[in-house]
Amino acid sequence: MTYERIRGMYDILPVDIGWWRLAEAAMIETARCFNYREIRFPIVEYTELFARGMGEATDVVGKEMYTFPDRKERSLTLRPEGTASVVRAYLNEGWATQAPFQKLFYIGPMFRYEKPQKGRCRQFHQFGIEALGSLDPSLDAEVISFAWSMMDRLGIGGLWLRLNSIGCAQDRETYRDILTSHFSPFVDQMCSDCHRRLDENPLRILDCKEPQCQPFIEEAPGSADHLCADCADHFGKVRDWLDRLGLEYRIDPRLVRGIDYYTRTVFELMSEDLGSQDTLLGGGRYDGLVETFGGPPTPGLGFAGGFERLVIVLQEGQGAEPPTEGIDLFLASLGTEGRELAVTLAKHLREAGLSVDIDHRDRALRKQLTLANQLSSRHLLVLGNDEAASRRGRIKQMERGEETGIALTPDAIVEHLTKEA
Ligand code: HAM
């Protein structure tokens, strides 16, 4: 019997790891440049955290969470996102009062029971940032600038930024009423989910992908036209900063995002190369979330993106490529003494930081040479009993086919390979 993978959860195999590391390194390096510090939080949280934080009426909370009781019948959930956990940690650490301004980033797996397709999985991996403790529009611009900078670092083109403001809690109430009036006359022609959404939260109708609902969504009034003076001013200043920084955006008056904690600025970075799952990353402000979790009024904002989608874009030839793999040296061996020398040399050379491999299956020399090629070894040493006795051999540079006589000591080999590199 063999076991199957769980649907929508994938192994990330050695052939793809280079792409993942490239994307992760871009995130870590961008975070360093923008001075965001890394935080790692548990994969499991109390269900309540996400239900209250993200909103009961959202698709994520309503139908996509992996929720189960623990042995004491407490309801736990595999994290579907990072923002709620960051805010929880922020409060647990007492930062809300002692160090309210925080810039944090995270990388890690998230879980949502969605219908799997290209770029949409049940275990996926997010990179995200959260900046807490400032309402200043320059921080909104910094967060958006971070997203662009990371993509620039990876050389990814064909991207565009959707931007909107959904205003403060009061504006959202007003906008909800406006949407209710707009959709009510058509509700019979809309999908069953949208029926429910009209009562629970009409903003969620704007995320609906059902074709029958699109004509009514396209006609819906935009949120940015119904902002209070403070929120309109904030949105204007965010746009001014983006203009000043030369960061492009397109206003999308119906962008509301699928999570309930958002206030004011919302944005998504879209890729022309992703097909239907074309949102590379998304985020916005959540100025009420710390308070929802029992903390003092504290603004916050951030974004998260999916590594799976980023890797698809990179593998389609958009931008940077991972360095070619391969090892520094393969030690082929013949006979007992040759093999002994190979095993001991490999140990010392690995300790010196070289990537070195040997044969472990007692293969004929010809097969060992094939293996050296398969491993893309940059150098080859063949060690037989003669080499073991004389402690001299010939090291071959594989690409050029050049051979050089060499003393078979770790120091001499390290020196030779360092010169070659
Ligand atoms: P989100 O829009 O739900 O926002 O997810 C952010 C990104 O995660 C998406 O744009 C997408 O790239 C990726 N993603 C989401 N679901 C999947 C999936 N099933 N498979 C593959 N990739 C996926 C959030 O999660 C918010 N916490 C973002 C945020 C941070 N807002 C403020 N701070």
Side-chain angles (χ1 to χ4, degrees):
M1 190 184 106
T2 53
Y3 294 101
E4 297 291 316
R5 282 190 284 102
I6 295 174
R7 192 164 126 80
M9 302 199 182
Y10 301 96
D11 302 307
I12 303 166
L13 298 170
V15 287
D16 290 320
I17 278 297
W19 298 95
W20 282 76
R21 288 195 178 162
L22 186 73
E24 284 162 7
M27 176 63 183
I28 291 167
E29 192 48 20
T30 311
R32 189 185 67 76
C33 293
F34 280 73
N35 192 31
Y36 283 64
R37 297 183 305 155
E38 185 174 2
I39 178 166
R40 300 185 188 189
F41 37 84
I43 284 175
V44 191
E45 299 269 9
Y46 289 119
T47 302
E48 176 79 8
L49 182 82
F50 303 115
R52 292 214 43 212
M54 302 176 82
E56 303 272 1
T58 56
D59 279 356
V60 176
V61 173
K63 45 188 187 190
E64 295 171 359
M65 295 206 302
Y66 283 89
T67 297
F68 52 94
D70 73 1
R71 289 180 185 276
K72 292 202 168 147
E73 295 302 317
R74 287 170 295 216
S75 181
L76 305 184
T77 291
L78 294 184
R79 61 186 190 193
E81 63 123 34
T83 311
S85 300
V86 169
V87 172
R88 176 196 49 66
Y90 179 86
L91 287 168
N92 292 157
E93 292 309 307
W95 289 339
T97 46
Q98 286 149 32
F101 189 68
Q102 292 285 336
K103 301 204 297 184
L104 303 162
F105 84 93
Y106 50 91
I107 285 176
M110 307 289 165
F111 304 83
R112 295 184 192 175
Y113 195 83
E114 291 193 81
K115 202 163 168 227
Q117 62 181 87
K118 187 180 173 195
R120 199 208 273 154
C121 337
R122 291 185 173 170
Q123 174 174 329
F124 59 101
H125 298 77
Q126 276 190 345
F127 50 94
I129 68 172
E130 311 294 346
L132 288 121
S134 170
L135 255 182
D136 199 303
S138 66
L139 189 60
D140 302 48
E142 180 179 283
V143 165
I144 292 172
S145 174
F146 185 119
W148 277 120
S149 173
M150 179 181 171
M151 298 307 141
D152 281 349
R153 193 174 286 282
L154 288 167
I156 295 178
L159 301 178
W160 57 282
L161 187 90
R162 299 166 79 192
L163 180 73
N164 193 19
S165 173
I166 55 174
C168 55
Q170 186 56 50
D171 293 343
R172 286 182 56 144
E173 284 308 310
T174 314
Y175 188 50
R176 272 169 84 132
D177 293 344
I178 291 169
L179 290 180
T180 307
S181 316
H182 169 78
F183 288 120
S184 291
F186 314 111
V187 70
D188 291 340
Q189 299 163 62
M190 299 174 76
C191 74
S192 58
D193 275 343
C194 283
H195 274 223
R196 181 177 48 80
R197 290 172 180 139
L198 189 62
D199 287 335
E200 286 176 2
N201 184 354
L203 263 74
R204 296 280 71 83
I205 297 178
L206 301 178
D207 305 326
C208 181
K209 299 280 180 287
E210 289 298 320
Q212 72 196 88
C213 303
Q214 297 315 304
F216 312 110
I217 292 172
E218 279 158 23
E219 293 293 309
S223 61
D225 297 331
H226 302 279
L227 300 177
C228 67
D230 277 355
C231 290
D233 179 59
H234 186 271
F235 192 36
K237 287 185 172 139
V238 172
R239 292 189 325 244
D240 284 348
W241 277 119
L242 294 176
D243 293 338
R244 244 178 277 177
L245 296 176
L247 299 171
E248 285 179 19
Y249 56 88
R250 297 183 204 165
I251 303 287
D252 180 343
R254 276 171 291 277
L255 174 67
V256 290
R257 309 246 323 117
I259 306 175
D260 280 351
Y261 50 57
Y262 288 113
T263 52
R264 293 195 170 177
T265 314
V266 286
F267 62 93
E268 288 183 346
L269 193 60
M270 317 298 291
S271 163
E272 287 161 6
D273 300 300
L274 274 174
S276 67
Q277 300 305 306
D278 54 355
T279 312
L280 209 47
L281 60 85
R285 278 202 165 269
Y286 43 85
D287 294 333
L289 188 56
V290 177
E291 244 178 312
T292 304
F293 286 171
T298 309
L301 83 158
F303 73 76
F307 274 121
E308 282 76 7
R309 296 184 190 181
L310 200 51
V311 167
I312 291 173
V313 173
L314 288 169
Q315 289 186 334
E316 279 174 5
Q318 272 277 353
E321 284 183 23
T324 41
E325 286 175 33
I327 59 172
D328 294 320
L329 174 64
F330 189 86
L331 298 171
S333 62
L334 284 164
T336 320
E337 278 121 66
R339 176 149 169 84
E340 257 175 45
L341 180 59
V343 173
T344 42
L345 268 182
K347 174 179 183 283
H348 293 302
L349 293 171
R350 287 165 176 167
E351 281 167 3
L354 296 178
S355 60
V356 178
D357 216 346
I358 55 176
D359 167 58
H360 286 291
R361 290 172 296 170
D362 199 19
R363 315 192 100 195
L365 182 61
R366 192 174 43 81
K367 290 250 171 84
Q368 292 189 46
L369 300 187
T370 310
L371 183 57
N373 276 319
Q374 283 166 351
L375 294 173
S376 304
S377 185
R378 287 178 279 281
H379 298 88
L380 173 74
L381 259 173
V382 180
L383 306 173
N385 292 346
D386 286 354
E387 283 80 7
S390 66
R391 297 280 151 162
R392 285 204 62 85
R394 296 188 70 73
I395 191 161
K396 182 169 174 183
Q397 207 287 348
M398 299 287 271
E399 207 177 270
R400 296 193 298 272
E402 257 169 41
E403 288 195 15
T404 317
I406 191 166
L408 294 175
T409 63
D411 285 350
I413 297 172
V414 169
E415 197 192 318
H416 180 79
L417 295 198
T418 318
K419 258 193 287 165
E420 281 281 331

